[in-house]
Amino acid sequence: MKSDNAKVALAYTRYANQVRSFILSKTGCFQTAEDLTHEAYIRFHKKAGSCSGINDIRAYLFRIAQNLVIDHYRAANARISPGYQIDTVEDCDLASDLPSAEEILHRRERIADVVRTVGELSPLCQRIFWLSRGAGYRNHEIAAMQRVCLSTVEKNLSRASRRCLRMQQAA
């Protein structure tokens, strides 16, 4: 039992932030990510004694997390599926984390504006902008990929950002 607790504690220290980030990326809700991460470690702890054959604890935890996310969405879907009876006020979740149709339309319009604005920039500036903002690469990585110096990346990102800011202020 003691070694099981140590195994869970070690797994928590090593992987909890990664598991939480993974769940957050799937749910978009920090509180849900916290709750499901906690539940993942509870399930892992329950299985820790019989998990001596697990070669990759991290992969095992991520599988638990993936299953919990699936269960979470299934439960949410069951609450809003046809034929669901609302018996109490608690059953009626009026506050939704999902954006409204108007908000989705507004976001799409803003994205189209950014795409159009960035499309007016030089090809190098466009590539640098999309590698940074779209793909999430760091400036030094972009510099290496594009075979330019770091200051070129920074100047082009600044140029693109200023252009997008002016576009946003004009809207």
Side-chain angles (χ1 to χ4, degrees):
M1 183 69 162
K2 208 171 223 180
S3 67
D4 295 345
N5 289 339
K7 186 186 298 185
V8 172
L10 181 61
Y12 187 83
T13 347
R14 284 186 180 168
Y15 307 120
N17 288 335
Q18 294 174 25
V19 170
R20 186 178 305 105
S21 294
F22 169 75
I23 295 171
L24 180 60
S25 74
K26 300 294 182 188
T27 63
C29 175
F30 185 76
Q31 187 59 48
T32 301
E34 285 290 321
D35 294 344
L36 294 181
T37 301
H38 181 72
E39 180 63 27
Y41 278 91
I42 289 173
R43 289 187 183 185
F44 178 67
H45 185 268
K46 287 179 182 177
K47 297 282 187 185
S50 62
C51 290
S52 58
I54 294 177
N55 295 331
D56 190 348
I57 291 175
R58 181 179 179 274
Y60 187 76
L61 282 166
F62 273 82
R63 172 52 60 195
I64 292 172
Q66 178 67 30
N67 290 342
L68 286 169
V69 169
I70 290 168
D71 291 346
H72 170 76
Y73 280 112
R74 282 183 182 151
N77 192 31
R79 283 195 304 268
I80 58 172
S81 66
Y84 178 73
Q85 296 284 325
I86 296 176
D87 297 325
T88 65
V89 174
E90 289 78 26
D91 290 340
C92 185
D93 185 10
L94 296 177
S96 173
D97 292 337
L98 299 175
S100 67
E102 293 83 12
E103 180 65 23
I104 292 171
L105 180 62
H106 178 70
R107 289 179 186 178
R108 285 182 180 166
E109 289 171 349
R110 287 183 59 198
I111 291 170
D113 289 343
V114 169
V115 169
R116 192 171 24 263
T117 300
V118 172
E120 297 169 357
L121 300 169
S122 71
L124 176 64
C125 191
Q126 289 178 41
R127 282 193 307 275
I128 290 172
F129 179 82
W130 292 122
L131 285 169
S132 174
R133 300 304 192 268
Y137 287 103
R138 296 178 182 198
N139 290 1
H140 68 276
E141 295 170 324
I142 297 169
M145 283 188 285
Q146 295 298 308
R147 295 186 175 142
V148 296
C149 62
L150 185 59
S151 67
T152 300
V153 172
E154 292 167 347
K155 288 175 187 174
N156 279 284
L157 281 175
S158 177
R159 183 177 300 124
S161 296
R162 281 193 313 269
R163 181 76 63 95
C164 288
L165 182 62
R166 275 182 283 186
M167 175 270 306
Q168 186 178 17
Q169 289 172 341

Coordinates of all heavy atoms in Angstrom, one line a residue, residues 162-171:
R162 N 1.1 45.5 -35.3 CA 0.6 46.9 -35.5 C -0.5 47.0 -36.5 O -1.5 47.7 -36.3 CB 1.8 47.9 -35.9 CG 2.7 48.2 -34.7 CD 3.6 49.4 -35.0 NE 4.3 49.2 -36.3 CZ 5.5 48.7 -36.5 NH1 6.1 48.2 -35.4 NH2 6.0 48.6 -37.7
R163 N -0.3 46.3 -37.6 CA -1.3 46.3 -38.7 C -2.6 45.8 -38.2 O -3.7 46.3 -38.5 CB -0.8 45.5 -39.9 CG -1.7 45.5 -41.1 CD -1.7 46.8 -41.9 NE -0.5 47.1 -42.5 CZ -0.2 46.8 -43.8 NH1 -1.0 46.1 -44.5 NH2 1.0 47.2 -44.3
C164 N -2.6 44.7 -37.5 CA -3.8 44.1 -36.9 C -4.4 45.0 -35.9 O -5.7 45.1 -35.8 CB -3.5 42.7 -36.3 SG -3.1 41.4 -37.5
L165 N -3.6 45.6 -35.1 CA -4.2 46.5 -34.1 C -4.9 47.7 -34.7 O -6.0 48.1 -34.3 CB -3.0 47.0 -33.2 CG -3.5 48.0 -32.0 CD1 -4.4 47.3 -31.1 CD2 -2.2 48.5 -31.3
R166 N -4.3 48.3 -35.8 CA -4.9 49.4 -36.5 C -6.2 48.9 -37.1 O -7.2 49.6 -37.1 CB -4.0 49.9 -37.6 CG -3.1 51.0 -37.1 CD -2.2 51.5 -38.2 NE -1.3 50.5 -38.4 CZ -0.2 50.5 -39.2 NH1 -0.1 51.6 -40.0 NH2 0.6 49.5 -39.3
M167 N -6.2 47.7 -37.7 CA -7.5 47.1 -38.3 C -8.5 47.0 -37.2 O -9.7 47.3 -37.4 CB -7.1 45.8 -38.9 CG -8.3 45.0 -39.5 SD -9.2 43.9 -38.3 CE -7.9 42.9 -37.7
Q168 N -8.1 46.5 -36.0 CA -9.1 46.3 -35.0 C -9.6 47.6 -34.4 O -10.8 47.8 -34.2 CB -8.4 45.5 -33.8 CG -9.4 45.1 -32.7 CD -8.7 44.3 -31.6 OE1 -7.4 44.3 -31.5 NE2 -9.4 43.7 -30.8
Q169 N -8.8 48.6 -34.4 CA -9.2 50.0 -33.9 C -10.1 50.6 -34.9 O -11.1 51.4 -34.5 CB -8.0 50.9 -33.6 CG -7.3 50.4 -32.4 CD -6.0 51.2 -32.2 OE1 -5.4 51.8 -33.2 NE2 -5.4 51.1 -31.0
A170 N -10.0 50.3 -36.2 CA -10.8 50.9 -37.2 C -12.2 50.3 -37.3 O -13.1 50.9 -37.7 CB -10.1 50.8 -38.6
A171 N -12.3 49.1 -36.8 CA -13.6 48.3 -36.8 C -14.5 48.8 -35.7 O -14.3 49.5 -34.9 CB -13.3 46.8 -36.6

